[in-house]
Amino acid sequence: MLLVAGVAALCGVLLAGLALPVVAGLGLTARESADTFAAMPADLEPGPMAQTSYMYDADGQQLATFFEENRVQIGLDAISPIMKDAILAIEDDRFYERGPIDIQGTLRALLRNVEAGSTQGGGSTLTQQYVKQVRVSQATTPEEVQEVQAASGTKGYRRKLEELRMAVQVEQELSKDEILSRYLNIAFFGARSYGIEAAARTYFSTSAAELTLPQAALLAGIVQQPNAYDPTNDPEAALGRRNVVLNRMAATGRITEQEAAEARATDLGLVLSATPNGCVSADAGYFCDYVRQELLTMPELGETRDDRAAMLERGGLRVETTLSQAAQQAAQAAVSDRIAPTDTAIGSLATVQPNNGYIRAMTNSRTYGVEGDGVSNINYAVDEVMGGGNGMQPGSSMKTFVLAAAIDQGIPLNTSINSPPSVSLRVNSFSTCDGRIRSSETWSPKNSTGSGTFNLRTGTERSVNTFFAQLEQRTGLCLPVTIAQGAGIMRADLDENGEVQPLSQVPSFTLGANEVSPLSMAAGYAMFANRGAHCPTTSVVRVTDAAGNVLVDHTQPTCEQVVKPEVADAVNSVLQGVVHNPGATGNKMRLADGRIAAGKTGTTNGAIAVWFVGYTPQLSTAVAVADVDGKLQSLDGRTFNGEEIPEACGGCIPGPIWKSMMDRALDGAEKVSFTAPDPETIQGVTVPVPDVRGMGSDEAIQTLQEAGLSASVAGEVNSDLQEGLVVSTEPGAGAEVGSGSSIAITVSNGEPEEPSDDFTAGVPTEPPVFGDEDGEGGGEDGWRDGFTPGELLPGEVEPAQ
């Protein structure tokens, strides 16, 4: 307190003269000036300085930087001695010898002010400059910055007093070395560079520890007026200012006259190294953008999204990501080889490692950015909530989840279903998690892969729509949707309230009626590769703060079992057939060197989007090519990287991209096989459907439940039977079905029977909306996805040409 009182008394005299017209105008005496000074707030709470955050790939290579102020905080021992000498010589020569006020400098300013009759200037120590820099950095609006920088009038006088009062307190709390270190870390050096380390990197591509005499003098000269002396804006002014610093260093004995002369004879010697801010200049821009989006969801980085953004831009974070450069380069090459950035369709790819959920690659055919031809900042590989678009219908790649549900329910792989070119199915013959759909609408899916009798293997390999439509009747919609969502697949588009939407439970689910993203499909199939366990996808391995404290740790992922391992093994076995068996839709996507893979094609109705989703035990990759702009139109007849494709297909565009990417990414990796399926699982547990015709509905449901089946009334039909008695079931009496299968019961309404071509009938209600104008929903032509008619399967009829 004695120091404060002494400085206050001295300031009362000096500052009355230093700002003579202002003090006189306010009617303040020296004593009153001293009292005003002593009463001013003394505490300076600098808080942490904003620092640059760095993002790294899985190998520790830098991907991107994020900053509000480009700063790398370092200790005083990491700054070259010549840099310390340069800044002290030009800014505060007696810094280590005097207290918080420069008596000599202030006396000189007093004489100038008295002589001029007005405020011409005042002495300012390096400690006072540090205080001013802190206050500027804390200002949140232009008005606050202007107030902190006020240089004239009453505001300027008060600002000077406040800074000096705080400087007194700072010098009581910190050593001279600590003050100098903080000053050199907070000072602005122009060119978006804050602190001496960022400045050294920006102007000379070196570190603060390696700065030479001419370099140090140039940087020391900038801080007085960073914009005026920025050598990238005005080299001549910067050179002149540098020489002023060199002269001052010689005059104060910090260097010799000869050293100053030699340094003055050199040019600026700039070796510029710009520090990019954000993802636009990152090699993997879309992945970088996804990482940023994920960081903004993490509560460990702040309570709100804005708090987390501030932490990323100011907190000096080290973000270690999951990106594999080998996989990313393979992905970018595969996509760009097939689809040009300016093509009218978009190609999108995402790759996930099954056993930990790590996103290993992510890219789109358009260049990541904000403007220009073939440029986009919409990441079509991900859901809208994470910076993506509205998603794309995945076509028949969703059939895999109906297949998994059927196996889980005990339906054997050799279960045969007659699958004609088209079927007419009553919507009310399908059940959701809420029970039977109440509708009188008829759904009429069709296919052109041939007709005949197929089982779960051959129906999947040939991607037969009418087979899967009828299989979905047996499984119900609830379990396939539950499995898909448990594996990380939700609708890509948000609802009207901006919330994530669950998958729609409609009959055309199996043909891809829901818009989804490649990342979610890669994750969904990765679940099967990981023997039924889903590891939540992430792009972040670990996040540490500037002090090295671990804020986020995903090194030990928490995975949840979605389906039993033996069910996943059976799915993997069937999907291997899609890739490896002759005549299957994915047969052209066999990987190099005999590496075993599994996968599924997908083509939407009208070929607006075409897909291939496939995996090995090590990597799961989804590729989609789609029309995403404006009115969605068919991909048929479009040009892809200079090649016109008459008929777009999963096997001719995304399939080859998938194969190219996986071959390159897995080159040299161990060949790993899938676990062989359990014979009991693939044979399934079947039970015959009891004959409940003529029973009352309650009695029929109980009978079916006792047989290990679920059942509900699907609707009523005209019949000669008494009202309320069971007319029929679907599947019918005696049919072998998997244990737990859902049985649709139709009862009599007591009216005389009328002919009907429908499979089932029900109470007329407003029909649900799904699929396209023809009610076909998603779907695919199996031939488009790589299937070439050849030897017919048993019971199969060749389609008409």
Side-chain angles (χ1 to χ4, degrees):
M1 291 304 295
L2 291 175
L3 175 61
V4 174
V7 173
L10 180 60
C11 286
V13 176
L14 295 179
L15 293 174
L18 184 64
L20 189 62
V22 176
V23 177
L26 294 176
L28 294 177
T29 65
R31 175 62 186 171
E32 288 168 332
S33 294
D35 292 342
T36 299
F37 176 83
M40 284 182 172
D43 291 334
L44 180 70
E45 297 293 341
M49 284 182 278
Q51 296 188 61
T52 301
S53 293
Y54 294 87
M55 183 185 294
Y56 300 91
D57 66 19
D59 296 322
Q61 298 299 309
Q62 185 176 309
L63 286 176
T65 53
F66 299 85
F67 55 83
E68 182 179 292
E69 297 177 357
N70 180 24
R71 176 183 288 109
V72 181
Q73 191 165 342
I74 56 174
L76 198 62
D77 57 352
I79 302 172
S80 66
I82 199 66
M83 183 66 232
K84 302 171 196 174
D85 285 341
I87 201 73
L88 291 174
I90 196 65
E91 293 296 330
D92 192 346
D93 181 41
R94 294 182 302 280
F95 173 69
Y96 277 94
E97 285 75 45
R98 50 119 194 100
I101 185 169
D102 182 357
I103 304 297
Q104 296 180 37
T106 303
L107 284 172
R108 285 196 299 270
L110 170 62
L111 293 175
R112 287 198 303 271
N113 290 346
V114 170
E115 198 174 281
S118 63
T119 303
Q120 299 295 308
S124 181
T125 66
L126 188 137
T127 306
Q128 288 173 262
Q129 292 180 49
Y130 165 67
V131 169
K132 181 178 178 180
Q133 293 275 10
V134 170
R135 298 181 76 193
V136 169
S137 72
Q138 292 174 336
T140 58
T141 66
E143 291 75 20
E144 289 181 7
V145 172
Q146 187 175 8
E147 184 175 336
V148 171
Q149 293 180 329
S152 61
T154 304
K155 289 185 178 180
Y157 172 62
R158 172 163 288 277
R159 191 262 297 174
K160 277 283 188 181
L161 282 177
E162 290 173 347
E163 288 174 4
L164 182 53
R165 178 64 186 91
M166 291 178 180
V168 171
Q169 192 68 25
V170 167
E171 294 231 2
Q172 286 184 305
E173 296 175 352
L174 301 176
S175 69
K176 291 288 188 177
D177 280 353
E178 288 173 323
I179 296 170
L180 178 59
S181 175
R182 293 191 181 198
Y183 175 81
L184 284 170
N185 275 292
I186 198 173
F188 179 48
F189 288 86
R192 302 192 306 170
S193 300
Y194 291 80
I196 189 60
E197 180 68 16
R201 296 182 185 184
T202 297
Y203 292 115
F204 301 110
S205 299
T206 190
S207 66
E210 301 298 324
L211 288 169
T212 64
L213 171 58
Q215 292 171 343
L218 176 68
L219 297 181
I222 292 175
V223 294
Q224 185 185 71
Q225 297 184 55
N227 294 325
Y229 296 131
D230 182 342
T232 63
N233 291 332
D234 193 337
E236 188 174 343
L239 186 64
R241 176 64 176 170
R242 182 202 68 178
N243 292 343
V244 168
V245 175
L246 290 169
N247 292 340
R248 181 63 183 163
M249 292 178 74
T252 58
R254 287 179 164 84
I255 59 174
T256 65
E257 289 291 347
Q258 182 178 350
E259 288 173 325
E262 291 174 353
R264 286 195 301 268
T266 65
D267 59 20
L268 290 176
L270 300 179
V271 184
L272 300 176
S273 179
T275 302
N277 190 6
C279 296
V280 172
S281 57
D283 288 337
Y286 288 104
F287 177 84
C288 172
D289 183 79
Y290 184 87
V291 176
R292 181 180 179 277
Q293 295 286 346
E294 186 174 355
L295 292 172
L296 296 183
T297 70
M298 294 179 172
E300 299 94 333
L301 303 185
E303 291 186 8
T304 68
R305 192 175 177 89
D306 287 344
D307 291 340
R308 297 159 198 158
M311 176 64 89
L312 177 61
E313 294 174 354
R314 297 179 58 86
L317 303 180
R318 177 186 174 88
V319 182
E320 300 170 24
T321 76
T322 61
L323 186 77
S324 160
Q325 283 293 351
Q328 180 66 20
Q329 291 169 13
Q332 291 181 177
V335 171
S336 61
D337 285 349
R338 193 67 187 175
I339 305 171
T342 53
D343 286 348
T344 55
I346 184 83
S348 188
L349 179 152
T351 298
V352 172
Q353 184 170 326
N355 67 349
N356 55 21
Y358 287 177
I359 301 169
R360 293 306 192 185
M362 180 183 291
T363 192
N364 292 275
S365 57
R366 292 177 186 168
T367 304
Y368 181 79
V370 219
E371 58 182 0
D373 293 337
V375 172
S376 175
N377 59 4
I378 299 175
N379 187 357
Y380 293 100
V382 305
D383 293 347
E384 184 180 2
V385 71
M386 298 297 284
N390 294 326
M392 298 159 273
Q393 288 193 349
S396 292
S397 58
M398 290 301 286
K399 289 175 179 172
T400 298
F401 299 97
V402 176
L403 170 67
I407 296 171
D408 186 74
Q409 291 173 342
I411 297 176
L413 294 188
N414 62 4
T415 299
S416 296
I417 300 176
N418 180 35
S419 307
S422 65
V423 291
S424 294
L425 307 176
R426 293 303 298 257
V427 172
N428 63 10
S429 66
F430 294 84
S431 62
T432 69
C433 294
D434 296 324
R436 290 281 170 178
I437 299 175
R438 293 183 58 80
S439 172
S440 60
E441 183 76 4
T442 299
W443 180 43
S444 301
K446 57 187 178 182
N447 53 267
S448 57
T449 57
S451 61
T453 301
F454 298 86
N455 60 34
L456 270 65
R457 281 193 183 277
T458 58
T460 303
E461 290 176 7
R462 298 295 177 98
S463 196
V464 183
N465 289 347
T466 58
F467 174 88
F468 270 92
Q470 294 174 87
L471 182 63
E472 188 182 53
Q473 276 186 313
R474 301 186 183 190
T475 64
L477 290 159
C478 185
L479 185 55
V481 167
T482 300
I483 292 173
Q485 292 183 166
I489 302 176
M490 301 290 280
R491 286 189 62 89
D493 55 331
L494 301 175
D495 66 17
E496 58 185 11
N497 298 317
E499 300 294 330
V500 175
Q501 302 185 80
L503 297 171
S504 299
Q505 297 184 40
V506 293
S508 51
F509 166 86
T510 191
L511 304 186
N514 288 279
E515 285 79 10
V516 295
S517 68
L519 177 59
S520 67
M521 290 298 286
Y525 276 55
M527 178 270 291
F528 295 116
N530 197 35
R531 302 197 68 207
H534 169 63
C535 306
T537 54
T538 183
S539 60
V540 176
V541 177
R542 183 169 34 228
V543 179
T544 55
D545 64 16
N549 301 307
V550 177
L551 305 180
V552 177
D553 189 347
H554 290 164
T555 55
Q556 300 296 326
T558 302
C559 309
E560 295 185 2
Q561 203 72 33
V562 178
V563 298
K564 296 185 288 291
E566 52 268 28
V567 171
D569 294 340
V571 170
N572 296 337
S573 174
V574 174
L575 296 190
Q576 284 177 71
V578 173
V579 175
H580 293 278
N581 287 348
T585 61
N587 183 247
K588 294 180 180 178
M589 271 59 81
R590 295 181 185 181
L591 296 179
D593 299 326
R595 186 182 296 275
I596 297 299
K600 185 70 186 73
T601 53
T603 301
T604 67
N605 210 48
I608 291 171
V610 288
W611 288 69
F612 190 82
V613 189
Y615 55 98
T616 67
Q618 298 108 312
L619 291 178
S620 175
T621 296
V623 183
V625 179
D627 184 350
V628 295
D629 298 323
K631 184 179 179 181
L632 306 186
Q633 298 178 336
S634 174
L635 301 179
D636 291 348
R638 297 202 193 190
T639 297
F640 297 89
N641 204 16
E643 179 184 358
E644 183 178 337
I645 304 294
E647 287 191 340
C649 60
C652 61
I653 310 176
I657 292 174
W658 178 88
K659 172 176 165 50
S660 173
M661 182 272 170
M662 294 289 278
D663 278 340
R664 297 184 197 186
L666 293 169
D667 184 29
E670 180 185 1
K671 292 181 182 178
V672 181
S673 298
F674 294 102
T675 301
D678 175 52
E680 291 185 8
T681 301
I682 61 177
Q683 289 174 3
V685 178
T686 62
V687 294
V689 177
D691 189 351
V692 295
R693 288 173 293 183
M695 294 182 183
S697 59
D698 290 342
E699 180 186 2
I701 290 173
Q702 182 177 352
T703 301
L704 291 164
Q705 288 176 341
E706 290 174 352
L709 304 168
S710 63
S712 61
V713 176
E716 299 177 346
V717 294
N718 295 336
S719 171
D720 293 332
L721 289 177
Q722 181 182 337
E723 181 180 359
L725 298 183
V726 175
V727 176
S728 63
T729 60
E730 175 59 37
E736 289 286 332
V737 298
S739 178
S741 294
S742 179
I743 308 300
I745 297 173
T746 302
V747 299
S748 172
N749 62 9
E751 298 293 330
E753 187 175 0
E754 295 179 359
S756 174
D757 293 331
D758 291 335
F759 281 59
T760 60
V763 179
T765 61
E766 286 296 320
V769 177
F770 56 86
D772 63 8
E773 295 178 341
D774 300 322
E776 296 179 6
E780 76 179 286
D781 178 332
W783 291 354
R784 285 188 173 218
D785 287 322
F787 166 58
T788 301
E791 182 180 352
L792 297 179
L793 298 170
E796 183 180 5
V797 179
E798 185 172 355
Q801 300 296 309

